[in-house]
Amino acid sequence: MLRILFLLIVLLIVALTTWQDRYRSTRWREPLYLAIYPIAADDSAVTQTYLAALDAAKFLPLHEFFMREAQRYQLNTREPVKIRLRGQLHSSPPQRAPGAGILSTALWSLKLRYWAWRVSGHADEPEDIRIFVLYHDPDLTPTVPHSLGLTKGLIGVVYAFAAPDMNGANNVVIAHELLHTVGASDKYSFGNLAPRFPDGYGDPEQVPLYPQRQAELMAGRRMLAPDRWEQAYSLDEVVIGPATALEIRWLRATRKRISPGRSTPAGA
Ligand SMILES: [Zn+2]
């Protein structure tokens, strides 16, 4: 009985902190502190050299992106996210087993939160959101697993490349996972990764519709033609669309109702 009671109390605390996190992280009155923790995913000299040269300036485009988009949505805060680069970690987050069920996924998520709590938070500043970035030598790992962002615990795990010409693409993934932690959902088809119309398009009302000039952040790819799309390599070509803005509470539901109807693709 005592054991069950203890477990119930733990679950209650976890549920309450999750609810509190969700409330606090989507008020957008003061900046959210994002702590970025770099981790070397392999022993490659390329990765080590890249990490040794990693500085806060590499993440400045992220800061500018959120300021620019916040201004577009007339957010109360001018600076929605403050970014802090932390020292390199020498521990990797627990990985979810491929094909894990609901129960083992829940357990893995608790393990991840526990791991994150243990390795982070040694700074005086608040850490509202923590993103752990695992850098890979692209020659050893040409394709990386899907990154993830959890609303539970406000934690992101990003699989990135230790290559200077991938800095822009890495920042797109970090921004994408950051928005997952505050409640945004994916806007692409899981089968072929194509941006979904209209919410996954940078501008669903653009004329002509293709090629899209911008990518929607939660789609992560820009439509070039009805059957062609390309990964976004810089936040300069990315926007936060209204559907995502609604999910992260940058827009209110009432405003969506009065917004003009969206156009449909030609012939659809
Ligand atoms: Zn995603």
Side-chain angles (χ1 to χ4, degrees):
M1 279 291 277
L2 264 177
R3 223 185 267 174
I4 290 171
L5 189 68
F6 175 72
L7 206 67
L8 280 176
I9 289 170
V10 168
L11 283 177
L12 190 71
I13 291 170
V14 168
L16 277 176
T17 47
T18 301
W19 175 81
Q20 196 193 19
D21 280 352
R22 171 83 184 136
Y23 171 72
R24 257 180 0 93
S25 66
T26 53
R27 261 190 321 177
W28 305 110
R29 290 213 193 116
E30 56 278 318
L32 286 176
Y33 280 83
L34 164 67
I36 293 179
Y37 285 90
I39 301 167
D42 49 47
D43 305 326
S44 154
V46 170
T47 307
Q48 297 304 334
T49 311
Y50 179 89
L51 280 178
L54 199 66
D55 56 13
K58 304 270 191 314
F59 302 99
L60 214 58
L62 266 171
H63 185 250
E64 284 163 1
F65 168 77
F66 283 109
M67 294 238 294
R68 181 191 83 205
E69 291 302 281
Q71 197 179 13
R72 242 172 23 90
Y73 283 97
Q74 296 165 353
L75 217 59
N76 284 335
T77 173
R78 211 179 69 84
E79 192 183 22
V81 184
K82 272 190 198 293
I83 298 165
R84 297 292 183 261
L85 176 63
R86 301 277 189 244
Q88 187 182 339
L89 288 183
H90 298 281
S91 162
S92 287
Q95 275 193 309
R96 178 164 50 174
I102 292 174
L103 200 69
S104 52
T105 298
L107 198 67
W108 159 81
S109 145
L110 282 178
K111 270 192 205 158
L112 180 65
R113 289 170 76 172
Y114 175 67
W115 174 85
W117 171 77
R118 252 187 26 217
V119 299
S120 63
H122 307 294
D124 295 333
E125 281 174 332
E127 288 194 345
D128 299 307
I129 300 171
R130 287 160 294 178
I131 293 198
F132 301 93
V133 188
L134 288 109
Y135 288 95
H136 299 73
D137 178 345
D139 284 336
L140 298 178
T141 317
T143 53
V144 290
H146 273 292
S147 300
L148 54 102
L150 302 178
T151 49
K152 294 191 172 74
L154 300 170
I155 296 170
V157 177
V158 166
Y159 296 92
F161 290 108
D165 61 351
M166 291 300 281
N167 287 343
N170 289 342
N171 278 339
V172 174
V173 182
I174 293 172
H176 176 106
E177 302 309 333
L178 170 62
L179 286 205
H180 271 318
T181 70
V182 292
S185 65
D186 283 318
K187 309 281 182 304
Y188 60 87
S189 310
F190 295 116
N192 60 5
L193 309 181
R196 285 199 308 254
F197 188 86
D199 295 342
Y201 280 46
D203 180 5
E205 290 171 30
Q206 186 188 298
V207 182
L209 195 54
Y210 305 104
Q212 282 278 306
R213 280 186 288 273
Q214 286 155 323
E216 204 285 328
L217 182 60
M218 299 316 288
R221 289 160 199 87
R222 190 165 61 89
M223 289 301 285
L224 304 174
D227 55 353
R228 265 189 319 123
W229 47 92
E230 180 185 73
Q231 188 191 344
Y233 282 97
S234 156
L235 284 168
D236 290 343
E237 52 173 312
V238 175
V239 291
I240 293 175
T244 300
L246 200 67
E247 288 170 331
I248 63 171
R249 299 182 188 167
W250 276 22
L251 273 183
R252 300 281 162 213
T254 46
R255 279 176 65 179
K256 194 195 182 187
R257 263 180 249 132
I258 57 165
S259 70
R262 292 192 180 98
S263 60
T264 45

